[in-house]
Amino acid sequence: MGWKSKGGFKANSKSTVTKGWALLLCIGCFCAGMLFSDRMWNVPEAKDKTIARATGVKDERLELISEGCDPIGNDVKRELKDILGEVARTHNAVQTLDKKISNLEMELAATRAVQESIINGSPISGDLKIPEASGKRRYLMVVGINTAFSSRKRRDSVRATWMPQGGERKKLEDEKGIIMRFVIGHSATSGGILDRAIDAEDRKHGDFLRLEHVEGYLELSAKTKTYFATAAVLWDADFYVKVDDDVHVNIATLGATLARHRTKPRVYIGCMKSGPVLAQKGVRYHEPEYWKFGVEGNKYFRHATGQLYAISKDLASYISINQHVLHKYANEDVSLGSWFIGLDVEHIDDRSLCCGTADCEWKAQAGNVCVASFDWPCSGICKSVERMRDVHRRCGEGKNAL
């Protein structure tokens, strides 16, 4: 009996102790769980708030940019605009300076020409004695009609058709800024019968430009160079034109054509070609310096055909200033083209400057009046003295065009 009671007491005591510890353990677990749960809920909330704030800032930033209110963007745009404006002003200043330099170089070339004529004892043209006259008036174009001592009838056929005479030519200069002159030099015998005949013709018509140049077929390149150099000194013009005296020209159409290129500083206008370099002696257009263009059979560089072409003021000034070092080839159109090799020159191929006499009529009827007309087989109008009036009647632009 006693043994049972003792044994039973020990069992109950152990059970009681175990339950107490279990209760304490449960309470501790509960507290730990509450603490852990609270921390788990608080941390994500803080992260969400941070993300929300960052997203809000980005949204506001995007909204400002989309509405054009980004202060940094506006400052950059204003700065870029100021830079572009400064570049434009600098560009205009450079252009103005280039023009002043070009004018000074022309005046210097004119002065040199007069001084050299005095030193060499050469006769001085009356126009060259007053080079300052070039700054009085700006013309649209100077048209130099290349002619020879033996071409009196050709000149008369031009005067009777497309070249205005007397008061009309003077009015053309004053109102339209178009200068027109027959271009010729002197004979090998200064003051001989040929020179006196030209002097008499000039007194009658007043339409010659006399060059300090000795005439000769093999001297056409030198004559072309002297013409542009002299014309650039005498007249301040946008363009300088060379045309042969057996070519028909519509002056108003020529002026309108050139005016379209008036803003271009260095322009070379004509019917561009690239013919073969002829090495064989005795043939027409033989090139003694053919070896400079490579092997036999090569072609020339692109250049304007010699019947009519035009160059801008800057190019004429370049020829005037550098005339003593510009090389002359046998053919004058090749020589002119060679002077522009290596320069920043725009070549304009305009086929209205080389219409055939058979084509110019129907083109005129269609409203596409040609600038110049001639026959390719003759390098001019075949029998121009007899046919110039007929070509003018069929292909002319009309009396009221000017």
Side-chain angles (χ1 to χ4, degrees):
M1 178 89 181
W3 181 82
K4 289 183 180 178
S5 300
K6 189 177 178 180
F9 173 78
K10 289 180 180 179
N12 291 337
S13 175
K14 185 178 182 179
S15 175
T16 301
V17 171
T18 303
K19 289 181 179 178
W21 282 106
L23 180 61
L24 289 174
L25 182 61
C26 289
I27 293 172
C29 291
F30 175 78
C31 293
M34 290 294 292
L35 179 61
F36 182 79
S37 298
D38 183 62
R39 297 184 65 137
M40 289 294 290
W41 281 105
N42 288 338
V43 171
E45 182 180 359
K47 289 183 178 179
D48 291 343
K49 288 181 179 180
T50 303
I51 294 172
R53 284 196 297 270
T55 304
V57 172
K58 291 182 179 179
D59 290 343
E60 291 176 1
R61 176 75 171 174
L62 291 173
E63 183 177 358
L64 286 172
I65 295 175
S66 64
E67 293 177 357
C69 299
D70 183 15
I72 298 177
N74 287 339
D75 291 341
V76 172
K77 291 177 182 178
R78 283 194 294 270
E79 185 177 355
L80 180 60
K81 186 176 180 180
D82 293 340
I83 293 174
L84 292 176
E86 187 65 26
V87 170
R89 287 190 292 271
T90 303
H91 180 68
N92 292 334
V94 170
Q95 284 186 328
T96 302
L97 182 60
D98 285 343
K99 185 175 181 180
K100 290 181 179 179
I101 292 174
S102 178
N103 291 335
L104 290 173
E105 288 176 340
M106 286 186 62
E107 293 176 5
L108 178 60
T111 304
R112 285 175 177 172
V114 174
Q115 289 176 345
E116 289 177 2
S117 297
I118 295 174
I119 292 173
N120 297 330
S122 303
I124 303 173
S125 169
D127 294 318
L128 283 177
K129 292 178 182 178
I130 48 171
E132 64 273 12
S134 62
K136 291 184 178 180
R137 166 77 190 275
R138 183 64 174 260
Y139 296 91
L140 171 62
M141 61 181 179
V142 176
V143 181
I145 308 169
N146 188 39
T147 191
F149 289 114
S150 60
S151 299
R152 172 61 187 267
K153 291 184 177 180
R154 284 187 178 183
R155 292 191 291 273
D156 287 340
S157 69
V158 170
R159 293 184 180 111
T161 53
W162 56 269
M163 181 181 184
Q165 293 299 294
E168 291 185 3
R169 184 167 55 82
K170 184 64 169 60
K171 184 178 180 181
L172 189 65
E173 295 179 6
D174 296 338
E175 296 184 2
K176 303 298 181 181
I178 299 175
I179 304 290
M180 300 179 67
R181 297 289 189 276
F182 286 106
V183 179
I184 196 168
H186 298 273
S187 65
T189 306
S190 181
I193 187 173
L194 296 177
D195 290 317
R196 294 199 300 271
I198 293 296
D199 292 338
E201 190 177 345
D202 192 22
R203 286 193 295 270
K204 179 179 180 181
H205 298 282
D207 54 6
F208 277 93
L209 171 60
R210 301 298 299 273
L211 303 177
E212 299 303 327
H213 165 78
V214 177
E215 288 289 323
Y217 179 76
L218 298 179
E219 297 298 326
L220 288 178
S221 293
K223 183 177 181 180
T224 298
K225 181 169 62 174
T226 304
Y227 158 63
F228 282 119
T230 305
V233 170
L234 296 181
W235 297 289
D236 182 14
D238 292 320
F239 296 97
Y240 299 85
V241 182
K242 177 263 178 182
V243 59
D244 290 339
D245 60 5
D246 56 351
V247 173
H248 181 270
V249 181
N250 285 313
I251 292 298
T253 306
L254 173 61
T257 299
L258 297 182
R260 292 198 294 267
H261 307 288
R262 208 168 190 172
T263 59
K264 302 173 182 177
R266 293 170 298 278
V267 64
Y268 174 32
I269 307 172
C271 290
M272 299 296 166
K273 66 174 183 177
S274 180
V277 181
L278 301 179
Q280 183 180 354
K281 293 183 178 180
V283 299
R284 192 179 186 187
Y285 306 127
H286 165 63
E287 179 57 71
E289 297 181 276
Y290 63 90
W291 58 273
K292 289 186 177 180
F293 298 92
V295 299
E296 291 189 26
N298 276 3
K299 291 186 176 181
Y300 287 114
F301 40 79
R302 191 70 63 180
H303 62 280
T305 185
Q307 285 81 4
L308 186 148
Y309 46 73
I311 62 175
S312 58
K313 173 184 174 63
D314 282 5
L315 296 184
S317 300
Y318 172 81
I319 294 173
S320 178
I321 295 168
N322 300 285
Q323 56 181 307
H324 301 296
V325 294
L326 295 178
H327 185 69
K328 302 183 295 294
Y329 290 100
N331 302 300
E332 54 98 7
D333 52 354
V334 173
S335 295
L336 182 71
S338 72
W339 299 336
F340 303 146
I341 295 294
L343 302 183
D344 186 13
V345 175
E346 182 178 356
H347 290 57
I348 295 180
D349 183 20
D350 191 334
R351 310 314 288 185
S352 71
L353 274 66
C354 55
C355 294
T357 57
D359 301 332
C360 60
E361 183 175 8
W362 65 263
K363 288 183 179 180
Q365 292 175 353
N368 299 319
V369 178
C370 292
V371 172
S373 304
F374 57 90
D375 302 307
W376 283 104
C378 300
S379 296
I381 297 178
C382 297
K383 299 181 179 179
S384 63
V385 174
E386 294 82 7
R387 297 183 57 228
M388 186 65 77
R389 286 181 180 272
D390 178 61
V391 173
H392 183 65
R393 177 184 58 81
R394 293 186 295 106
C395 307
E397 58 194 352
K399 294 182 179 180
N400 298 325
L402 286 171

